[in-house]
């Protein structure tokens, strides 16, 4: 250990807070190539002890010592404990001792000392360490008279933040408060890299670079071979502030694949990966509804926990539009508010036809969540549009309804509480808004006592719901429920579950005749209902070996009994879309909500089967139910539940490593095995090259209920990667429903809904692409036609 900094040959310890790579990477930045890596052979002049200082003595040899023999002895430095009663004070993590002096750990192969010039030169694998900082170089010389420190030859400096500097030559003072560097590379710990022909570090730690280039790209590929960065920013001058952790550019230009394409005045980048205020790269798009669109944004960073983005959209075929997004992270949660606004022709809320008058059109979307305490939280969202085609015309969203919600929720160890409400705005043309319900309040509370009852678990629930419509039926509901569950594993391995449930309901409704479907209306006024249910469920898994893997076969049988219930006297608001499928085959109530409860007695049977191999996994289940009575007026014909024997339902899943994923759901008619539901979701390929297929056909012949029409649809997507970073992609959605399945659609059995095609480039730091999309449906002023878009994003610059 050498003595404090005023006597030690120190490292460039304060050199920079921006630094992480290999020195060879600098050659990839044309703006600042590294000089050839050479070491000085001339060690300078020496002084003969008998001569006068400064007289050249060509034949004199410097005093040279192998560091293994002792640097302290050469410099005349006493042993650390010589003449002392105690060892020197320890050095802290910052490299300073108790008196504030910097101590430096020193390693080198050879040390040379010239007494006539007071220059100490270390050569060969020189390493200087002070706290979390380190310097490596081929040689380091220290002039005791001038205090100049010179590191040469493959210099690498690492600061306390993990940033690194690579250079061929670094000059510093003995206080490490200023320095000059030539042909350098700064590699930031967060991934950015700066190369420059020359740099100077000021006394306050600020580093100024000349003729610099910056990029967030890797300069070597996954195989370790050098590659040109796909983008970089060149600038006449760059100033790096370690205190603010920011890089400020002067005269900056953006280059893509070596071509200068865009000036970036006033550009500032944070080295810690955070965002700073500034303009964002504009987007370019063409659509049939709006013509050419250019959108530009300005980002305002108020603090690390809140920001604002202001955007202007300019169109050749429509009035300009402005947008804003505010985001705020508070101590208890976060929220955001997004809004769009323009002034254009008014659109009919029912037909979507443009009116000659112009007025305000817009959309607001706000949501947030706040954790009030470990148990309590408040969640809310607002989504409202001025008309039904605004979102689709400006390509903001394709939702056909907007829901606004508010919920106060408590989740405890054994308790649950929720007080919520929601309002829905329909965006469907020809659907009156007055028929859309407002649900407020929606209350639900549950409690599971710790103490078992007859060995089983008790759950108590209370629930209320109020639904109002401006031009439709109003319904209020309240119920209380108690459910008991007992699950045991027998000595033979069967899993047996017993369930008992009691529930009491109170309903009130009026204007029932305004509901078009008679089975949904219920009786007007007050209605009361009691529900009792008992169930026995037995599963018996068998495990064995097959084909080098593990096979599990689990037969299952369930018996459920419920006394007759006055279902049709009760309004149906939340249990309308009933359809037998694999997910609800063994449910205690196969209706999706509370307003309908399946009564009578039934037996449900089926099995689960799975095979797990080293690369394959196959799972399937099949089942059916049998009803002991046939009076089931609450099930529409075609749902698979209207007769004693239900249809057969099942699901099969196949997976091969991460290459193949296939899911098939089906329902087969119990009489002739006709396919009533056929749903396929498949993905084949890798993360870069893949194909996705989705197909669904509902062939149920249900005509009397509007929620259960037949449909047939095909969805497909494919992406093919080539040339390392390029890919071609396409997708499409097609309506295969014909007039026989749904006469209201006037479809010929193959109607494209939307198709998309594009080409993209994506590497570790750049994403760009061109897409073409065609919409085949006109909705008001959202016209069918083509849309073209050009986009790109840059890593570390927050351009998207």
């Amino acid at each position: 250990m050498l003595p404090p900094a005023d006597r030690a040959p120190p490292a460039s310890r304060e050199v920079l807070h921006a630094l992480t790579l290999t020195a060879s990477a600098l050659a990839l930045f044309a703006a600042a190539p590294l000089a050839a890596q050479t070491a000085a052979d001339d060690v300078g002049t020496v002084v003969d002890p008998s001569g006068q200082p400064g007289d050249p003595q060509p034949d004199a040899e410097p005093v040279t010592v192998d560091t293994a023999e002792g640097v302290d002895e050469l410099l005349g430095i006493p042993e650390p404990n010589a003449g002392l009663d105690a060892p020197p004070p320890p050095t802290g993590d910052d490299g300073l001792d108790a008196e504030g002096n910097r101590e430096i750990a020193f390693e080198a192969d050879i040390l040379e000392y010239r007494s006539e010039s007071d220059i100490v030169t270390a050569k060969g694998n020189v390493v200087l360490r002070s706290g979390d900082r380190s310097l490596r170089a081929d040689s380091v010389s220290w002039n005791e008279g001038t205090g100049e420190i010179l590191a040469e030859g493959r210099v690498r400096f690492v600061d306390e933040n993990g940033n690194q500097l690579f250079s061929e030559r670094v000059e510093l003072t003995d206080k490490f408060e200023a320095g000059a560097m030539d042909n350098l590379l700064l590699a930031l710990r967060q991934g950015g890299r700066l190369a420059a022909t020359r740099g100077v570090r000021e006394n306050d730690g600020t580093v100024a670079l000349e003729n610099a280039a910056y990029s967030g790209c890797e300069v070597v590929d996954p195989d370790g071979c050098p590659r040109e960065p796909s983008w970089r920013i060149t600038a006449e001058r760059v100033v790096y502030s370690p205190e603010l952790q920011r890089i400020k550019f002067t005269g900056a230009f953006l280059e893509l694949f070596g071509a200068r394409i865009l000036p970036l005045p006033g550009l500032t980048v944070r080295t810690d990966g955070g965002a700073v205020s500034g303009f964002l790269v504009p987007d370019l798009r063409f659509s049939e509804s709006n013509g050419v669109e250019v959108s530009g944004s300005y980002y305002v960073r108020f603090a690390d926990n809140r920001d604002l983005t202001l955007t202007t959209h300019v169109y050749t075929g429509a009035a300009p539009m402005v947008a804003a997004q505010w985001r705020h992270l508070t101590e208890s949660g976060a929220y955001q508010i997004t809004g769009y606004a323009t002034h254009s022709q008014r659109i009919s809320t029912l037909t979507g036809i443009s009116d000659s008058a112009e007025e305000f059109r817009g959309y607001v979307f706000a949501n947030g969540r706040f954790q009030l305490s470990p148990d309590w939280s408040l969640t809310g969202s607002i989504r409202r549009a001025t008309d039904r085609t605004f979102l689709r015309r400006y390509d903001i969203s394709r939702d056909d309804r907007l829901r606004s919600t508010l919920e106060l929720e408590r989740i405890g160890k054994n308790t649950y509480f929720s007080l919520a409400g929601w309002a829905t705005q329909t965006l469907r043309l020809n659907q009156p808004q007055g028929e859309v319900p407002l649900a407020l309040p929606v209350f639900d509370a549950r409690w599971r006592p710790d103490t078992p009852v007859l060995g089983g678990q008790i759950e108590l629930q209370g629930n209320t719901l109020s639904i109002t419509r401006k031009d439709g039926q109003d319904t209020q509901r309240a119920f209380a429920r108690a459910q008991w569950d007992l699950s045991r594993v027998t000595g033979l391995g069967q899993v047996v579950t017993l369930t008992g449930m009691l529930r009491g309901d109170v309903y009130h409704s009026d204007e029932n005749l305004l509901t078009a479907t008679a089975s949904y209306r219920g009786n007007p006024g007050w209605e009361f209902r009691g529900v009792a249910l008992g169930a026995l469920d037995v599963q018996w898994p068998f495990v064995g070996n097959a084909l080098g893997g593990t096979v599990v076969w689990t037969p299952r049988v369930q018996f459920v009994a419920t006394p007759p219930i006055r279902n049709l006297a009760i309004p149906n608001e939340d249990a309308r879309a009933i359809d037998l499928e694999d997910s609800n085959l063994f449910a205690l109530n196969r209706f999706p909500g509370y307003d309908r409860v399946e009564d009578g007695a039934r037996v449900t049977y089926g099995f689960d089967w799975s095979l797990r191999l080293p690369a394959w996994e196959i799972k399937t289940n099949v089942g059916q139910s049998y009803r002991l009575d046939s009076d089931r007026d609450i099930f529409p014909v075609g749902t698979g539940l209207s007769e004693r024997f239900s249809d057969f339902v099942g699901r099969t899943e196949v997976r091969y490593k991460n290459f193949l994923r296939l899911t098939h759901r089906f329902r087969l008619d119990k009489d002739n095995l006709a396919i009533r539901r056929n749903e396929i979701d498949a993905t084949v390929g890798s993360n870069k090259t893949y194909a996705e297929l989705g197909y669904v056909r509902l062939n149920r012949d249900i005509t009397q209920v509007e929620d259960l029409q037949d449909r047939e649809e095909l969805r497909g997507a494919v992406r093919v990667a080539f040339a390392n970073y390029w890919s071609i992609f396409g997708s499409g959605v097609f309506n295969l429903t014909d007039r026989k399945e749904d006469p209201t659609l006037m479809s010929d059995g193959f109607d494209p809904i939307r198709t998309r095609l594009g080409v993209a480039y994506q590497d570790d730091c750049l994403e760009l692409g061109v897409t073409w999309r065609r919409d085949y449906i006109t909705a008001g002023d959202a016209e069918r036609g083509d849309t073209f878009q050009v986009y790109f994003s840059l890593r570390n610059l927050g351009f998207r």
Side-chain angles (χ1 to χ4, degrees), residues 45-68:
T45 59
V46 295
V47 176
D48 183 79
S50 60
Q52 297 296 322
D55 293 340
Q57 301 290 335
D59 298 329
E61 293 293 331
V63 181
T64 304
V65 63
D66 190 309
T67 57

Side-chain angles (χ1 to χ4, degrees), residues 532-590:
L533 180 147
L536 171 66
D537 191 301
V538 180
Q539 302 178 59
W540 196 353
F542 295 88
V543 183
N545 299 322
L547 304 176
T550 302
V551 61
V552 180
W553 180 60
T554 307
R556 181 177 181 182
V557 61
Q558 180 193 67
F559 176 76
V560 180
T562 302
I565 300 173
R566 298 172 59 246
N567 275 294
L568 296 181
I570 302 299
N572 183 3
E573 297 282 3
D574 66 0
R576 298 184 176 184
I578 174 63
D579 191 19
L580 180 65
E581 50 187 309
D582 63 283
S583 61
N584 64 4
L585 176 64
F586 287 94
L588 297 178
N589 179 28
R590 289 182 283 199

Side-chain angles (χ1 to χ4, degrees), residues 506-525:
V506 179
Y507 280 80
H508 180 270
S509 59
D510 53 28
E511 300 188 79
N512 301 58
L513 294 179
L514 295 178
T515 298
T517 303
S519 61
Y520 293 165
R521 297 172 182 167
N523 297 331

Side-chain angles (χ1 to χ4, degrees), residues 427-479:
L427 300 184
R428 298 178 179 179
L429 299 180
N430 302 317
Q431 181 183 15
Q433 178 65 42
E435 297 178 357
V436 179
L438 170 67
L440 182 71
V442 182
F443 169 80
D444 189 72
R446 308 185 189 198
W447 175 45
R448 290 183 179 179
D450 290 328
T451 305
V453 176
L454 299 177
Q457 177 69 59
I458 286 287
E459 180 178 277
L460 304 178
Q461 179 186 11
N463 181 283
T464 65
L465 170 66
S466 176
I467 288 180
T468 58
R469 296 176 175 88
K470 181 180 179 181
D471 301 316
Q473 179 176 329
D474 298 335
T475 302
Q476 296 82 43
R477 178 194 71 199
F479 72 78

Side-chain angles (χ1 to χ4, degrees), residues 367-382:
N367 66 337
R369 178 180 176 86
F370 300 91
Q371 197 69 37
L372 307 179
S373 71
D375 296 335
W376 288 91
S377 65
L378 180 65
T379 306
S381 66
I382 299 174

Side-chain angles (χ1 to χ4, degrees), residues 178-201:
M181 301 154 282
D182 294 327
N183 297 328
L184 57 97
L185 171 69
L186 309 180
L188 309 178
R189 185 175 184 180
Q190 278 72 21
R193 292 161 177 81
L194 271 166
T197 58
R198 180 170 176 79
V200 177
R201 184 180 186 278

Side-chain angles (χ1 to χ4, degrees), residues 55-112:
D55 293 340
Q57 301 290 335
D59 298 329
E61 293 293 331
V63 181
T64 304
V65 63
D66 190 309
T67 57
E69 299 178 359
V71 178
D72 294 346
E73 180 180 354
L74 172 69
L75 298 178
I77 302 173
E79 293 294 327
N81 295 324
L84 299 177
D85 296 332
T91 303
D93 294 337
D94 57 359
L96 302 178
D97 59 19
E99 298 179 356
N101 298 316
R102 183 173 296 278
E103 294 194 353
I104 302 172
F106 175 88
E107 297 178 16
D109 293 340
I110 298 174
L111 190 69
E112 297 177 352

